[in-house]
Amino acid sequence: MSEKWLSGKVVENRHWTDTLFSLRVEGAAPRFRAGQFVRIALDIDGQRVARAFSFVNPPGDPTLEFYGVIVPEGPLSPRLARLRPGDALYVASNPAGFLVLSEVPDAETLWLVATGTGLAPFLSILRTPEPWQRFRHVVVVHGARHARELTYRELIAQTPAKYVTLVSRESAPGSLGGRIPAAIADGRLEAAAGVALRPENSHVMLCGNPQMLKDAQAVLAARGMRKHRRRTPGHITVESFW
Ligand SMILES: Cc1cc2nc3c(=O)[nH]c(=O)nc-3n(C[C@H](O)[C@H](O)[C@H](O)COP(=O)(O)OP(=O)(O)OC[C@H]3O[C@@H](n4cnc5c(N)ncnc54)[C@H](O)[C@@H]3O)c2cc1C
Ligand SMILES: NC(=O)c1ccc[n+]([C@@H]2O[C@H](COP(=O)([O-])OP(=O)(O)OC[C@H]3O[C@@H](n4cnc5c(N)ncnc54)[C@H](OP(=O)(O)O)[C@@H]3O)[C@@H](O)[C@H]2O)c1
């Protein structure tokens, strides 16, 4: 079945760093749930080239927002980064994905754990009322190579979430060093968040680098936490970006 496309227009392309950008798009607003993604596309040399992007905006906002990184050799992301206000962007009509709170069982603490642009779906979730109604604590954990890549700090700081950052390739005041799985394993993440990460009290949503998802699930398994499935409830929900 051929994909149905909505025709949007770029209204802003914010560049945070040489490689990170946020696109705001108007005129195409499919219905979705916070945490979901949609395919966005450009016509390149007569071919429609599409990739999945998570919504950063909350549902109901007529302006869509997407957060991307330039993969230099990638077919689409360098071109998205070059879009200017007024340029066209196609948005598929069928958002999808299970990284949504309706798939997450009740818990005392919700951990939203991301590397890089994997933060995007959590920003949408943080901008809805549900996390604050359902969870006593919400902890946002963002890991990046460099401190300048810890984007959307102001937005996160405006929410009641506890916010822990990790920087892996330089030392950065106010951030933990290294990678997320190591900080889980040695207790630094819990110490920084000020809450326990245990199967009895926590649900963890993971998004971003597939190797991080794998390594984080391994250290969480050592704590007795396992993937959540509708038929076999657990403590971990994941979405891989590649
Ligand atoms: C469900 C889902 C949601 C996604 N949401 C986002 C999003 O919100 N923002 C976003 O930037 N990307 C997101 N992606 C990745 C996105 O679809 C593209 O792969 C990415 O924009 C690169 O596109 P490309 O055509 O330039 O290169 P591709 O040919 O698609 O990718 C080439 C390689 O680049 C690397 N790569 C791809 N995406 C990333 C990334 N985000 N961060 C670091 N390395 C990456 C991988 O090694 C990949 O094999 C998502 C992917 C999936 C499956
Ligand atoms: N970020 C940049 O400076 C930069 C510059 C140019 C191009 N790019 C392009 O962007 C893409 C990378 O983007 P990115 O930096 O957002 O994503 P990334 O490579 O996934 O790195 C984001 C964070 O995830 C960490 N990570 C990687 N593997 C992990 C694992 N197994 N467990 C836990 N954490 C892990 C990284 O730590 P480590 O640092 O230890 O790997 C880093 O802190 C590449 O395709 C690259 O070509 C990035």
Side-chain angles (χ1 to χ4, degrees), residues 17-20 67-74 77 114-118 142-146 148-149 166-170 178-182 208-216 242:
T17 67
D18 286 353
T19 56
L20 294 171
Y67 174 43
V69 63
I70 298 176
V71 177
E73 66 283 8
S77 58
T115 50
T117 52
H142 190 197
R145 296 180 184 189
H146 304 105
R148 62 179 178 276
E149 293 156 355
L166 291 93
V167 171
S168 54
R169 300 201 184 183
E170 63 188 358
R179 291 180 165 185
I180 292 166
N209 184 312
Q211 202 55 49
M212 179 280 282
L213 303 183
K214 219 171 137 208
D215 294 351
W242 67 93

Side-chain angles (χ1 to χ4, degrees), residues 37-206:
F37 62 87
V38 69
R39 279 156 62 79
I40 63 176
L42 294 173
D43 286 342
I44 303 170
D45 299 331
Q47 286 223 319
R48 190 149 295 182
V49 178
R51 291 288 185 273
F53 270 74
S54 304
F55 294 94
V56 168
N57 56 293
D61 190 334
T63 306
L64 303 185
E65 185 170 342
F66 302 108
Y67 174 43
V69 63
I70 298 176
V71 177
E73 66 283 8
L76 191 66
S77 58
R79 288 176 170 89
L80 293 175
R82 288 200 293 271
L83 290 176
R84 307 235 305 250
D87 287 345
L89 178 74
Y90 294 103
V91 178
S93 61
N94 55 343
F98 296 102
L99 196 76
V100 292
L101 288 184
S102 54
E103 296 288 334
V104 168
D106 286 334
E108 189 176 284
T109 303
L110 176 69
W111 297 78
L112 304 175
V113 179
T115 50
T117 52
L119 184 65
F122 299 145
L123 295 167
S124 183
I125 289 172
L126 288 170
R127 291 156 101 175
T128 66
E130 194 174 348
W132 325 111
Q133 292 163 351
R134 283 189 53 200
F135 303 94
R136 179 152 170 230
H137 306 292
V138 177
V139 186
V140 177
V141 181
H142 190 197
R145 296 180 184 189
H146 304 105
R148 62 179 178 276
E149 293 156 355
L150 297 171
T151 49
Y152 288 100
R153 299 187 79 116
E154 287 86 20
L155 192 159
I156 297 164
Q158 280 165 17
T159 72
K162 297 170 191 293
Y163 177 40
V164 181
T165 56
L166 291 93
V167 171
S168 54
R169 300 201 184 183
E170 63 188 358
S171 100
S175 293
L176 302 177
R179 291 180 165 185
I180 292 166
I184 295 173
D186 65 16
R188 281 180 300 140
L189 190 65
E190 286 168 295
V195 287
L197 173 50
R198 302 259 173 271
E200 311 78 66
N201 76 336
S202 292
H203 192 93
V204 184
M205 298 175 91
L206 299 169

